[in-house]
Amino acid sequence: MSHPVPKIIRPEPGMISMSGPFSFLLLTILAVTGLILFPFYPLDIARAYEALAEEAGLSLVGLMRSMHRGSAELFIIFVTVHAVRAFILRKYGMGRWTPFALGAALVAFAMWQGVTGYILPMDIRSQALLSVFAPLIDLFFGAEGVRAFSPGNETSEGTMLLLLAAHLVPPFIAVAALAGHTARLNEPRVWPKNITITALLAGLVVAYAVAPATSLARADFSKAPGAVAFDWLQMFPAALSTFTPMPVFWGVAVVLLALLGIIPYLLTRKGKRNVVNVHEEACVGCGLCAKDCPYKAMSMAPRPSESRWPWVVTVETEKCIDCGVCVGSCGFHALDITRRSVEAIRAEAQPCAGRVMAYVCGNIAKDGSGGELLAIPGVTIVSVACGGQVYPGWIDDDLRNGATGVIVAVCAPFSCSGRLGASHASARIGHERRPFLRKRVERDKVGFAWLQPGDREGLQRALAGFAEELRAGGVKHDGDGTRMTRRNLAQAALVAFSTALAIPCMEFLWKRTAYSLEEPSLSKVVVTYDTHDQSGVKILFDGKLALEKSYDRPASIDPAKIAVTAQISGGAAEARIEVVEGVSTHKKSIPLPAGRIVALWKNPETGEYDLETGEYDLK
């Protein structure tokens, strides 16, 4: 006799549990909106501002830019939450250090993209970032870069292309890191449900209508920007860099990133590793265990030609986490785990006549049978390593041995230590994944519960409710889909509302958070030039030597690009600049009160040295 199969609906996990898939979704939105914006971005400093400036009314560029910036804000939040959650849950353990380290690198990627993304609009906020990262520009772009972002704006398409590349190239590296992050995962879930994706997109559109991303005033490199609206979520590395010399800042950043990857390795390298035991004589080579393994730790290998079964399972020790999910897929007793053996589980389940049998994930029961903690009359609680360890045939055996009902309690999605164990258990009982629960099993005597790890009170309620349903005539699975649909709709509405509210709130906050990356009383001299000979630069303030540098003759016939920056607090009555090229000496003097910028470079047409000056806007 067959019975109708109950469809066990998997609940949609919360936003914190889904921080990984949300991060991937936001990264995809960033990539798509960035590709759409790319053709609109000219390689010219003067026109770059107009290209991204918010137009009156709704526009494609405005929508894409707002979605791009809003997604960037949310991406930093979710990828950070994902990293912290993974560390707290010790996801780096049991041979998972490399994926954790690659995932941690994505946090650094998010910080880099946040800063470089704010540079591209070429407003005064971009100018502030360029000023604080001038040494980095000098390092990568040389004098051409320094000249591009000094008074006069003598830039080239090549320089703008390199600046654009600083924002566009890292995502390709991030894709490689992301591939390594998920490489050893079987059936990785990288997307939320479609309804959640739709809700997030709707929230981003609403956020654009409420608070579109806009540029500040146009960058004017003859003046310092002063205090600008500061996005502390994406721009805080720039603020930190102002307190330390650039080499120290980057050195500390690299060390911290290295520690983020090394510390988890040090915490787990000496940990005891248990792996699944394979009884090769019992293995028939069906391959279900390899298909179900959450971490691709199992594969099928050929046996000698004279063997009865052509294939046998093998285990990669470094990948196996001893979760037991594979045990639930094997009906031939060919697999077992040390920490919770099948023999021990079945021994505890033997006296089941006239009682309710409850197979409970050890993360919920916190190891042991839990009988002392949850003394429910008529219920026998058996702890398993993971809900996925429960073989469907055990349920059939228990009911045939006189159990009044069997319930399986598993961890909620994305909180299962075996990753796929909980979903595999529900799919097997729901006749959606092999090995199936046999159709002859009375489904009104089978229950299923999704619970959070350590939720003993929830477990007690679930077991008491299941026992009550059995006494009332059996479990009614009708309505489970409706309840879960309502729950998923409610969560999608929460995602849309949170997105539509969070992004405008952050925009509102940043516009009212003014911060200056430069000292307003700072005076600055920038010298950029090309030389064919030995040369030197000397900069004096009020007759006192502030900086002196010499350069050797270029090794090639091409001129060496020289870029020198000197600055002084409080200003000076006069700045005198001397540039020596071979036997020629060029001198320029100019008044330099507090807040003045002086830029000097050789005019390529006349060969003379020109001065460009400007004052800080101190308002």
Side-chain angles (χ1 to χ4, degrees), residues 14-24 78-79 81-83 85 414:
M15 285 190 284
I16 293 180
S17 299
M18 288 284 286
S19 53
F22 267 112
S23 299
F24 184 81
F78 276 107
V79 76
V81 168
H82 185 61
R85 180 176 181 268
F414 281 79

Side-chain angles (χ1 to χ4, degrees), residues 294-333:
Y295 293 102
K296 298 182 180 179
M298 312 186 83
S299 58
M300 306 308 295
R303 292 183 193 259
S305 56
E306 65 274 9
S307 300
R308 179 183 179 186
W309 308 108
W311 300 94
V312 66
V313 66
T314 60
V315 180
E316 293 186 53
T317 304
E318 291 303 315
K319 292 183 177 181
C320 180
I321 68 167
D322 196 42
C323 62
V325 175
C326 57
V327 176
S329 66
C330 183
F332 301 94
H333 308 294

